[in-house]
Amino acid sequence: MIQLDDRLLALRGQVREWGADFRALGLALDRDPELIREHFDLPAVRYLSTMGIPPEYGNVPIPIAGNRFYGTLALERAIIMEELACADVGMLVASPGPLLAGVLIDLLADEQQKDWFYGRMLESPLWTFFALTEPDRGSDAGALSTTVVPATGDKPALLSGAKRYVGNAARAQLGVVFARTSPGPLGINAVLVENPSPGLHAEALETIGLRGARISAITMQDVEIAPDRFLGRHLSPSRRGMWAFVQTFNLLRPGVAAIALGIARAAHEYVITHRSALRRDERDRLDVLGRRIDGARRLVHLAAAAVDARTGDGYLASAAKVRAAQLAHDATQEACTFFGAGARLEHPVLDKLVRDARGMEFIEGTSNMQKLNLFQGLFTGKLDRDDPFRTAPLAV
């Protein structure tokens, strides 16, 4: 069990206060996701816009209880994500920042690329995107069809293909795209792109939940890629493509699990706030849900601590994501039962929580992918079935 020290408790308390702004704007943003552009001055949005940028590149985040939290540690991110998702997940995913792309930059970019990317992020709030999934292939990187035709003579490298279900791509200024430069697993590379660029088009898709994320489709036709925009050019081919995005997902999955945990907690707290008188059986059901939330939090924090310690192979992170995504779905559905027929019509916050919760299964890999990763850990002996889940048994 991970005990939060005074420093992390202060972080949690401050972010919980910031969350009041998100909660107040959540329903309005759900109707108009571009409302976020009017609220770059909110403390949480300002913090998220640079979260993950290391201090050596000039990041000076808002001080909290005399400390600066750069968001480069998974446990810090998990605390922040839970609190802000509990306030309103739409505002969280709508906020600009380097998060997913930034982690890949930290893994793959050379110093010149980091200076350029982080410098752009610190100049003004920018959205970024991370484009892996393709329309007909999902996140199966081995079947990527997006390609980069190498430069020849005086002709630049050209990027062509399509990506789908890419968060914030329609409004992002910077992004990373995974594409194939040659056959086989070592032929996959990540490239930096700017939006707008000739030949690149990103369009937001209509979604039921997580509307703040502006989940998008991207098409690319002969987008010019300069030589200094190939990530990992100083690394061996085995560390540029598939290895890089797998590592990125492993590093960020505890944060995704924390987002789902925050949605579940929001549903639980909504019932507590809006149902003052409960029958005995209702109290019992609410208590069971509260214990599930506490158990999931322990697992999320354990997974985040493992990421920060660079131990394990992502199995705990996958377990946390599976558990929390299922919990978000169960908690939001359960919360509706406390308000009778028509609960979602009469309680728009609950309706939004139900819709948002469904999206958590698919963020950064579907739950089926996480279960496969988890089972590999169990069957190879790299993950102890009993220990990590002692307080929160896994159901798959």
Side-chain angles (χ1 to χ4, degrees):
M1 180 172 167
I2 304 299
Q3 295 287 349
L4 302 184
D5 59 22
D6 290 343
R7 181 174 173 273
L8 292 175
L9 290 172
L11 172 65
R12 184 174 68 182
Q14 180 61 80
V15 177
R16 188 170 294 182
E17 287 184 25
W18 290 347
D21 297 324
F22 279 24
R23 190 171 290 108
L25 293 165
L27 289 176
L29 184 92
D30 192 56
R31 293 188 294 269
D32 177 14
E34 294 309 309
L35 183 69
I36 189 65
R37 297 180 185 273
E38 301 175 16
H39 297 286
F40 286 173
D41 60 327
L42 294 180
V45 176
R46 285 192 287 128
Y47 179 81
L48 291 169
S49 70
T50 62
M51 187 177 76
I53 300 178
E56 58 266 30
Y57 295 94
N59 187 16
V60 185
I62 302 168
I64 298 172
N67 298 295
R68 295 194 187 274
F69 296 89
Y70 296 93
T72 53
L73 295 176
L75 186 54
E76 293 178 4
R77 292 194 298 267
I79 292 168
I80 293 164
M81 296 299 194
E82 179 189 342
E83 294 303 327
L84 293 181
C86 183
D88 185 70
V89 68
M91 287 289 293
L92 170 59
V93 297
S95 295
L99 189 57
L100 190 56
V103 170
L104 186 71
I105 293 295
D106 185 60
L107 285 172
L108 283 189
D110 58 30
E111 284 304 310
Q112 178 186 347
Q113 292 166 334
K114 288 179 180 179
D115 284 337
W116 178 80
F117 182 87
Y118 293 142
R120 289 284 304 275
M121 298 302 304
L122 291 169
E123 287 174 2
S124 61
L126 300 179
W127 285 282
T128 61
F129 67 82
F130 180 101
L132 173 65
T133 300
E134 296 189 349
D136 300 321
R137 295 167 180 81
S139 299
D140 180 4
L144 282 184
S145 62
T146 299
T147 58
V148 175
V149 178
T152 55
D154 59 350
K155 294 183 179 179
L158 298 176
L159 171 68
S160 297
K163 301 291 183 178
R164 199 168 179 84
Y165 308 125
V166 184
N168 286 316
R171 57 188 171 197
Q173 295 87 357
L174 301 174
V176 291
V177 177
F178 282 88
R180 184 173 294 286
T181 56
S182 62
L186 298 184
I188 298 171
N189 282 260
V191 295
L192 277 165
V193 299
E194 295 186 72
N195 186 25
S197 288
L200 187 149
H201 176 72
E203 180 178 9
L205 302 170
E206 289 296 325
T207 60
I208 294 174
L210 296 177
R211 292 175 175 167
R214 301 296 278 164
I215 295 171
S216 306
I218 306 174
T219 57
M220 297 156 287
Q221 182 62 47
D222 294 338
V223 179
E224 294 188 6
I225 304 297
D228 61 356
R229 294 295 180 258
F230 283 81
L231 294 172
R233 54 187 177 165
H234 60 302
L235 301 173
S236 67
S238 63
R239 297 177 70 87
R240 293 177 192 165
M242 295 183 70
W243 176 90
F245 73 72
V246 168
Q247 291 301 311
T248 299
F249 286 161
N250 286 343
L251 291 170
L252 285 176
R253 275 185 185 126
V256 176
I259 292 174
L261 175 64
I263 294 173
R265 200 181 104 206
H268 184 254
E269 292 179 359
Y270 189 89
V271 176
I272 293 172
T273 301
H274 293 85
R275 278 291 312 273
S276 56
L278 294 172
R279 301 189 307 270
R280 173 64 182 270
D281 65 305
E282 290 177 322
R283 288 199 304 272
D284 289 345
R285 286 195 291 125
L286 202 59
D287 287 346
V288 168
L289 182 57
R291 289 195 296 273
R292 287 186 64 190
I293 291 169
D294 290 341
R297 182 179 298 107
R298 294 188 185 99
L299 179 56
V300 169
H301 288 183
L302 189 64
V307 165
D308 290 334
R310 295 295 194 268
T311 59
D313 296 293
Y315 304 119
L316 273 177
S318 291
K321 204 261 187 171
V322 169
R323 163 52 53 85
Q326 184 63 52
L327 177 61
H329 174 269
D330 293 349
T332 54
Q333 295 289 333
E334 181 81 359
C336 291
T337 67
F338 286 85
F339 298 94
R344 290 177 62 177
L345 290 175
E346 297 174 10
H347 297 268
V349 170
L350 271 185
D351 175 66
K352 181 178 182 301
L353 287 170
V354 170
R355 290 186 283 107
D356 289 341
R358 294 307 299 268
M360 296 311 302
E361 179 182 352
F362 305 100
I363 291 182
E364 294 181 25
T366 66
S367 289
N368 284 336
M369 291 173 61
Q370 314 317 315
K371 290 177 183 178
L372 177 60
N373 195 16
L374 171 59
F375 283 135
Q376 287 174 339
L378 291 170
F379 294 152
T380 59
K382 293 182 179 180
L383 183 63
D384 185 338
R385 174 179 286 276
D386 296 324
D387 184 38
F389 311 116
R390 192 168 291 157
T391 58
L394 181 68
V396 293

